[in-house]
């Protein structure tokens, strides 16, 4: 690579060096734009005026330059000469200095301030920066004053082929359908070259395939990849690896190249028909297999994949098309043969089916390859099994009259063993369906008999289940439902449909309908009910009432005369005979109660009681009931009032069985001891009832009057508290009005859970001599003082 770059640079620089040597600087710096001319403003010396005048007469320009060029990636031993700046004002006396400024001045480009030569001191890369804009100026060597205005020029970096093509998105993946025609486009890949696409052929790329032929080809300029062979089969080879090369310099020798890989996958099309693995399948199935159970599986293999391999299965021929069906399993892609109807080994022992598998999705482009289906033969052998008994009918319907005699035969069920061995059958009744045990069955012949009397009016239908069991194999049983209908016989006499009570107005008219009644019969004759009504023979000529049969099988009772009076007779009883039309006919006598009532002019019943005559005028029974209710309510209110007053006047005395301590209020505040003189007044404690008087208790009502206790005279604060408490305790014990409970106990209870224990001696089990209060000194100053007081008391007693 370095040798090739050196040769290219030598070939390029040789004509430039020759041109630089043969041409003067003004020609080398020939301008591309003649308008960019800088003219010198320096004065000429006198001894050279004629020569300079001759030169000026030629109208020379100050300086002009072209765009300068420099090759990239040049790395020689010395800086590379880019160009030279020169002005006519420079007589060669070295009084003019050239200054260079702008992009890269001093760092990348360096100028000789005397000769104006510009050199590149660093290696340049066109891909990083393609051109540099600089400014040149001529100044006086001594004063640094500008001799001419500054002028800009451009140095362009010329490109060399130093970048190889790159596939930025590789490696690539593409798909193409199998069996595609020749020249089917697969995909397009693109490489990039960082070199200058304008200058030379450094960025001109040509594509080719290094690996992947003869299956695929590529367009050299567009990089479009196409199939080079027709009808590539995915089932033969599914994936291909193609190596693609991109080369610059138009593909000529010396150009740089880059490669990438393309993985081409052939996608599946439906170009293969299904094919059964075998032409004949054998299956065996027991005759007692349940409906819907799988008998066997057949599978047609398809070399395609996905939906192209999906097949549907059908039974197209055979002697078992009505008994079997076949469905496709979407997961396993096979056909499942299932049972549609029951099998019977004794009837037919084998079946032959012809099944067909066909593709669901057929591609019409490949229809010429033949039918995309296949057939196979399936033979199914039925195996004998020990079957349960079979009844002659799936259900039985029996009829029996409700007056049938006990143990009479109602009907019969029959069953047989379908097996060749033909086992005897034993019959029984499922007693869960005959809890009252109304029927029996003969275990040998299946005759059903009546065990208890029947009553159609209680139950019309009886549904029982008969069980048939093989004697040789008790596990083989069958069940059949038997419905027994109870037929009606005329065993119930008709009667009134409800309890009737008729009302007869005193001011009624003769022939007026008093009441319409109807009858009912629990029996159910085939032609419907027809009732006959009549009066008792001894009352056939009833002077007060008569009857009339209506078309709707009802009866109307009519009054024969008017002038009925409830004071004379309040109630009339009318017996009526009701007969049915059964064979033999049955009858019953029902009595209708007719009550005489007082009615308004419009016939509205107002009162049917005789007592209504004795009531005050204008006061009805309802009003009397209301008055009575008010009186009872007032009595209840008075009783409640008296009871409340009695409870209110009871004395507020505390019962003996009540504990007075329930009324004591306890406080958790603790005093400050004897040093706390502000918490209470010792004088009040000495005489809490007052000095001059006595305050009685407020929570009881004294039964006895007593003289007030004489209050103690005030004493100094140094009085003995123990003595004071004993005096008060003695007075309380001798007071007959005080309760029997000693309220002083509140002072003796100090609570529970104290670390210090009890400080009181009221409940102490030891004697006073056993008490030692020296340990109270360790509990603080207040307890120390208390210990000293008790210690002093003990010493005084001993003294």
């Amino acid at each position: 690579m370095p040798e090739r770059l050196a040769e290219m640079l030598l070939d390029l620089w040789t004509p430039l060096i020759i041109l630089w040597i043969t041409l003067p600087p003004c020609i080398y710096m020939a301008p591309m734009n003649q308008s960019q001319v800088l003219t010198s403003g320096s004065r000429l010396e006198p001894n050279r005026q004629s020569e300079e005048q001759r030169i000026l007469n030629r109208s020379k320009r100050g300086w002009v330059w072209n765009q300068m060029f420099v090759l990239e990636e040049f790395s020689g031993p010395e800086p590379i000469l880019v160009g030279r700046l020169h002005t006519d004002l420079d007589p060669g006396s070295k009084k003019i200095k050239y200054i260079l400024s702008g992009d890269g001045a001093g760092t990348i480009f360096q100028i000789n301030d005397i000769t104006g030569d510009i050199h590149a001191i660093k290696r340049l890369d066109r891909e990083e920066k393609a051109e540099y804009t600089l400014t040149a100026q001529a100044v006086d060597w001594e004063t640094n004053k500008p001799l001419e205005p500054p002028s800009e020029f451009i140095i362009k970096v010329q490109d060399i082929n130093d970048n190889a093509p790159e596939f930025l998105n590789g490696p690539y993946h593409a798909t193409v359908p199998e069996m595609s025609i020749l020249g089917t486009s697969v995909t397009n890949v693109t490489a990039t070259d960082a070199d200058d696409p304008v200058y030379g052929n450094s960025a001109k790329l040509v594509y080719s395939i290094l690996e992947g032929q003869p299956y695929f080809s590529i367009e050299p300029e567009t990089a479009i990849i196409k199939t080079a062979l027709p009808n590539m089969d995915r089932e033969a080879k599914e994936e291909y690896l193609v190596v693609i090369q991109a080369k610059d310099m138009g593909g000529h020798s010396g150009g740089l190249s880059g490669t990438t890989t393309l993985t081409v996958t052939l996608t599946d099309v439906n170009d293969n028909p299904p094919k059964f693995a075998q032409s004949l399948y054998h299956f065996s199935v027991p005759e007692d297999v349940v409906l819907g159970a799988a008998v066997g599986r057949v599978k047609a293999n398809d070399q395609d994949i996905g939906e192209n391999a999906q097949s549907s299965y059908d039974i197209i021929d055979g002697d078992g098309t009505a008994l079997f069906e076949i469905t496709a399993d979407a997961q396993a892609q096979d056909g499942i043969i299932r049972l549609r109807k029951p099998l019977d080994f004794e009837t037919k022992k084998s079946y032959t089916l012809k099944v067909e598998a066909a593709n669901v999705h057929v591609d019409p482009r490949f229809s010429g390859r033949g039918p995309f289906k296949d057939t196979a033969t399936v033979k199914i052998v039925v195996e004998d099994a020990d079957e349960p008994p079979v009844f002659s009918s799936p259900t039985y319907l029996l009829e029996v009259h409700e007056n049938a005699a006990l143990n009479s035969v109602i009907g019969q069920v029959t069953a047989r063993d379908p097996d060749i061995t033909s086992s005897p059958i034993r019959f029984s009744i499922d007693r869960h369906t005959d809890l009252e045990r109304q029927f029996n069955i003969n275990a040998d012949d299946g005759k059903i008999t009546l065990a208890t009397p029947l009553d159609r009016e209680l139950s019309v239908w009886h549904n029982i289940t008969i069980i048939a069991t093989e004697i040789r194999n008790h596990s083989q049983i069958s069940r059949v439902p038997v419905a027994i209908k109870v037929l009606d016989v005329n065993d119930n006499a008709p009667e009134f449909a409800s309890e009737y009570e008729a009302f007869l107005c005193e001011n009624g008219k003769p022939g007026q309908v008093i009441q319409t009644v109807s009858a009912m019969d629990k029996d159910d004759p085939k032609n419907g009910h027809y009732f006959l009504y009549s009066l008792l023979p001894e009352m056939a000529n009833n002077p007060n009432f008569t009857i009339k049969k209506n078309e709707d099988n009802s009866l109307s009772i009519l009054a024969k005369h008017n002038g009925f009076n409830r004071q004379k007779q309040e109630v009339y009883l009318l017996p009526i005979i009701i007969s049915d039309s059964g064979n033999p006919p049955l009858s019953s006598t029902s009595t209708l109660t007719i009550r005489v009532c007082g009615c308004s002019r419009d016939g509205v019943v107002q009162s049917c009681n005789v007592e209504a005559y004795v009531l005050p005028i204008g006061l009805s029974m309802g009003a009397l009931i209301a008055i009575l209710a008010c009186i009872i309510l007032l009595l209840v209110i008075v009783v409640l009032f008296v009871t409340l007053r009695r409870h209110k006047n009871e004395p507020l005395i505390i019962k003996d069985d009540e504990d007075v301590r329930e009324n004591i209020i306890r406080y958790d505040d603790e005093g400050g001891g004897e040093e706390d003189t502000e918490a209470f007044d010792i004088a009040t404690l000495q005489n809490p009832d007052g000095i001059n008087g006595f305050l009685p208790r407020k929570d009881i009502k004294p039964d006895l009057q007593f003289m007030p206790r004489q209050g103690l005279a005030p004493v100094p604060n140094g009085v003995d508290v123990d003595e004071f408490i004993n005096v008060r305790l003695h007075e309380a014990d001798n007071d007959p009005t005080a309760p029997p409970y000693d309220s002083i106990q509140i002072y003796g209870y100090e609570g529970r859970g104290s670390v210090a224990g009890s400080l009181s001696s009221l409940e102490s089990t030891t004697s006073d001599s056993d008490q030692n209060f020296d340990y109270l000194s360790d509990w603080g100053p207040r307890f120390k003082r208390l210990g000293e007081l008790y210690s002093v008391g003990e010493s005084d007693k001993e003294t």
Side-chain angles (χ1 to χ4, degrees):
M1 184 68 182
E3 293 79 8
R4 185 169 58 184
L5 181 60
E7 292 176 1
M8 293 173 60
L9 293 176
L10 183 61
D11 295 340
L12 182 63
W13 276 99
T14 300
L16 294 177
I17 296 173
I18 296 174
L19 180 63
W20 175 265
I21 295 175
T22 55
L23 296 179
C26 62
I27 298 177
Y28 174 74
M29 306 290 291
M32 293 182 63
N33 187 357
Q34 296 296 333
S35 62
Q36 297 180 2
V37 179
L38 298 179
T39 305
S40 173
S42 304
R43 293 185 179 181
L44 301 178
E45 298 180 358
N47 56 353
R48 302 182 58 186
Q49 185 174 1
S50 58
E51 183 179 359
E52 295 297 332
Q53 287 178 349
R54 188 171 57 254
I55 295 174
L56 291 175
N57 289 336
R58 296 170 55 190
S59 300
K60 289 185 178 180
R61 303 178 184 248
W63 60 8
V64 223
W65 47 68
N66 204 347
Q67 288 183 343
M68 296 185 180
F69 297 90
V70 59
L71 285 176
E72 67 169 337
E73 305 294 345
F74 183 78
S75 58
E78 295 182 359
I80 181 174
L81 179 62
V82 179
R84 176 179 295 174
L85 302 181
H86 187 70
T87 179
D88 293 340
L89 299 180
D90 187 4
S93 59
K94 300 181 180 179
K95 293 183 178 182
I96 296 177
K97 181 169 61 174
Y98 296 97
I99 298 175
L100 184 66
S101 62
D103 294 341
T107 57
I108 299 176
F109 301 102
Q110 194 176 51
I111 189 171
N112 189 322
D113 54 359
I114 298 176
T115 62
D117 293 340
I118 301 175
H119 293 81
I121 61 176
K122 287 186 177 180
R123 183 176 179 179
L124 301 177
D125 188 356
R126 188 199 66 83
E127 286 72 35
E128 293 182 1
K129 191 173 180 63
E131 61 181 31
Y132 298 86
T133 302
L134 297 99
T135 302
Q137 191 174 24
V139 300
D140 185 82
W141 182 271
E142 296 178 354
T143 62
N144 285 333
K145 292 183 178 180
L147 301 179
E148 293 182 2
S151 183
E152 288 186 353
F153 67 97
I154 297 174
I155 298 179
K156 290 190 174 183
V157 182
Q158 287 184 329
D159 182 53
I160 63 172
N161 190 18
D162 59 340
N163 291 280
E166 294 182 355
F167 292 92
L168 301 180
N169 298 323
Y172 299 89
H173 296 270
T175 59
V176 63
E178 64 171 333
M179 310 305 292
S180 297
I181 61 175
L182 179 66
T184 302
S185 177
V186 178
T187 187
N188 183 21
V189 297
T190 303
T192 58
D193 196 320
D195 293 327
D196 190 357
V198 179
Y199 179 77
N201 295 327
S202 299
K204 186 177 181 181
L205 304 180
V206 175
Y207 298 91
S208 60
I209 293 180
L210 301 182
E211 183 180 343
Q213 296 174 339
Y215 305 104
F216 301 96
S217 63
I218 189 170
E219 292 288 338
E221 296 181 357
T222 61
I224 298 177
I225 300 172
K226 300 179 180 180
T227 57
L229 289 178
N231 300 329
M232 287 188 290
D233 192 0
R234 184 198 64 84
E235 288 73 30
K237 186 175 182 180
E238 185 176 5
E239 194 172 87
Y240 296 85
L241 181 65
V242 181
V243 179
I244 302 172
Q245 174 185 265
K247 189 174 184 180
D248 58 13
M249 299 299 292
H252 295 141
S253 176
L256 303 179
S257 63
T259 60
T260 188
T261 60
L262 169 65
T263 301
V264 181
T265 302
L266 298 182
T267 59
D268 184 62
V269 297
N270 192 8
D271 58 338
N272 294 281
K275 185 69 175 178
F276 281 105
Q278 56 194 70
S279 59
L280 179 62
Y281 292 86
H282 292 273
F283 299 108
S284 59
V285 56
E287 63 174 333
D288 59 350
V289 66
V290 297
L291 299 181
V295 176
R297 288 174 177 259
V298 296
K299 184 172 184 179
N301 298 317
D302 195 324
Q303 296 182 3
D304 298 322
I305 59 176
E307 66 176 12
N308 295 323
Q310 292 182 1
S311 298
S312 61
Y313 294 87
D314 293 298
I315 299 176
I316 59 176
D317 196 7
D319 54 0
T321 56
L323 277 74
F324 300 94
E325 63 181 358
I326 186 170
T327 57
D329 187 349
Q331 299 295 331
Q333 293 296 328
D334 53 4
I336 306 174
I337 301 175
R338 300 182 183 275
L339 183 65
R340 293 178 58 187
K341 294 182 179 181
L343 298 175
D344 188 3
F345 172 80
E346 289 73 23
T347 303
K348 190 173 179 60
K349 297 178 176 57
S350 64
Y351 297 90
T352 302
L353 306 176
K354 185 177 183 181
V355 296
E356 178 186 74
N359 278 148
V360 177
H361 306 281
V362 178
D363 194 336
R365 296 178 299 173
F366 308 103
S367 59
R369 295 193 173 193
F372 283 79
K373 59 180 65 176
D374 193 18
T375 59
T377 302
V378 178
K379 296 200 69 174
I380 301 175
V381 177
V382 180
E383 297 177 348
D384 187 22
D386 191 3
E387 299 177 87
V390 177
F391 284 94
S392 59
S393 176
T395 59
Y396 290 89
L397 176 61
L398 305 179
E399 293 182 347
V400 57
H401 287 89
E402 61 179 327
N403 60 349
L406 297 181
N407 298 323
S408 61
V409 177
I410 300 173
Q412 184 180 10
V413 296
T414 59
R416 64 177 182 85
D417 184 6
D419 300 324
I420 299 176
T421 56
S422 185
S423 171
I425 306 299
R426 180 177 294 276
F427 299 95
S428 61
I429 296 177
D430 186 356
R431 291 305 177 182
H432 292 90
T433 60
D434 185 23
L435 298 177
E436 297 180 358
R437 295 182 174 270
Q438 290 187 308
F439 306 97
N440 292 325
I441 189 171
N442 190 302
D444 298 325
D445 57 10
K447 291 182 179 181
I448 302 173
T449 58
L450 184 62
T452 60
L454 298 175
D455 188 355
R456 191 203 65 84
E457 287 70 36
L458 294 179
S459 179
V460 179
W461 289 95
H462 296 272
N463 297 307
I464 62 175
T465 299
I466 304 300
I467 301 175
T469 307
E470 289 187 9
I471 296 179
R472 297 175 183 174
N473 186 359
H474 292 172
S475 62
Q476 297 296 332
I477 62 175
S478 296
R479 298 171 181 266
V480 66
V482 177
I484 301 175
K485 182 179 181 181
V486 181
L487 301 178
D488 183 52
V489 295
N490 191 22
D491 58 346
N492 291 278
E495 58 186 6
F496 279 155
S498 63
E499 292 292 336
Y500 292 101
E501 185 177 9
F503 298 95
L504 174 62
C505 292
E506 291 179 316
N507 56 356
K509 298 179 181 180
Q512 182 180 358
V513 176
I514 301 173
Q515 181 72 39
T516 300
V517 297
S518 60
M520 61 168 291
D521 194 335
K522 295 180 180 179
D523 296 325
D524 187 16
K526 296 181 179 180
N527 298 326
H529 291 289
Y530 182 80
F531 300 114
L532 297 176
Y533 301 92
S534 63
L535 297 176
L536 290 176
E538 59 271 19
M539 298 183 65
N541 297 321
N542 192 303
N544 298 317
F545 307 100
T546 184
I547 59 176
K548 178 184 177 182
K549 175 70 182 296
N550 300 321
E551 294 181 357
D552 59 354
N553 217 17
S554 62
L555 178 69
S556 296
I557 293 88
L558 293 80
K560 282 187 174 184
H561 60 85
N562 58 0
F564 289 93
N565 192 339
R566 51 181 163 168
Q567 288 182 335
K568 294 181 179 180
Q569 186 173 351
E570 181 183 4
V571 177
Y572 293 89
L573 299 179
L574 183 63
I576 301 175
I577 301 174
I578 308 174
S579 303
D580 59 16
S581 57
N583 186 16
L586 297 178
S587 63
S588 66
T589 301
S590 299
T591 301
L592 176 64
T593 301
I594 303 175
R595 190 178 298 274
V596 180
C597 302
C599 302
S600 63
R601 294 181 179 180
D602 299 333
V604 178
V605 177
Q606 293 182 342
S607 175
C608 297
N609 297 329
V610 179
E611 290 80 359
Y613 284 99
V614 300
L615 294 177
I617 299 176
L619 193 61
S620 63
M621 181 62 68
L624 289 176
I625 294 174
I627 293 173
L628 182 60
C630 292
I631 294 174
I632 295 174
L633 180 61
L634 289 176
L635 291 176
V636 172
I637 294 175
V638 171
V639 172
L640 291 176
F641 179 75
V642 172
T643 303
L644 293 176
R645 290 293 302 271
R646 182 177 298 175
H647 284 288
K648 184 176 181 181
N649 295 330
E650 289 181 357
L652 299 176
I653 189 66
I654 301 177
K655 296 181 180 180
D656 295 341
D657 56 350
E658 293 181 353
D659 193 349
V660 73
R661 288 175 294 179
E662 294 180 358
N663 300 326
I664 297 175
I665 300 176
R666 295 178 174 84
Y667 298 91
D668 295 333
D669 297 337
E670 184 176 332
E674 292 183 357
E675 296 180 359
D676 187 3
T677 59
E678 299 179 358
F680 62 93
D681 187 4
I682 188 64
T684 304
L685 181 62
Q686 294 171 352
N687 188 10
D689 295 334
I691 298 176
N692 299 325
F694 172 74
L695 297 176
R697 297 172 62 91
K698 296 181 180 181
D699 57 342
I700 62 174
K701 182 179 181 181
D703 294 334
L704 299 176
Q705 298 294 331
F706 62 95
M707 294 301 294
R709 292 191 297 269
Q710 184 65 32
L712 294 179
V715 294
N717 291 337
V719 70
D720 190 355
V721 178
D722 185 35
E723 182 180 357
F724 166 75
I725 293 175
N726 291 331
V727 172
R728 289 299 182 189
L729 180 60
H730 179 72
E731 293 177 357
D733 293 337
N734 297 327
D735 188 357
T737 61
Y741 301 102
D742 192 356
S743 61
I744 196 64
Q745 60 188 318
I746 190 62
Y747 301 100
Y749 180 76
E750 299 179 0
R752 299 177 181 177
S754 174
V755 178
S758 176
L759 300 180
S760 174
S761 61
L762 296 178
E763 298 179 358
S764 176
T765 58
T766 60
S767 62
D768 294 341
S769 61
D770 295 335
Q771 298 291 335
N772 184 7
F773 304 99
D774 294 340
Y775 64 90
L776 296 177
S777 302
D778 299 334
W779 292 0
R782 295 183 179 180
F783 290 98
K784 181 178 181 182
R785 177 61 178 166
L786 183 62
E788 292 176 354
L789 290 176
Y790 274 84
S791 298
V792 172
E794 294 294 332
S795 61
D796 293 344
K797 290 181 180 180
E798 293 176 358
T799 304

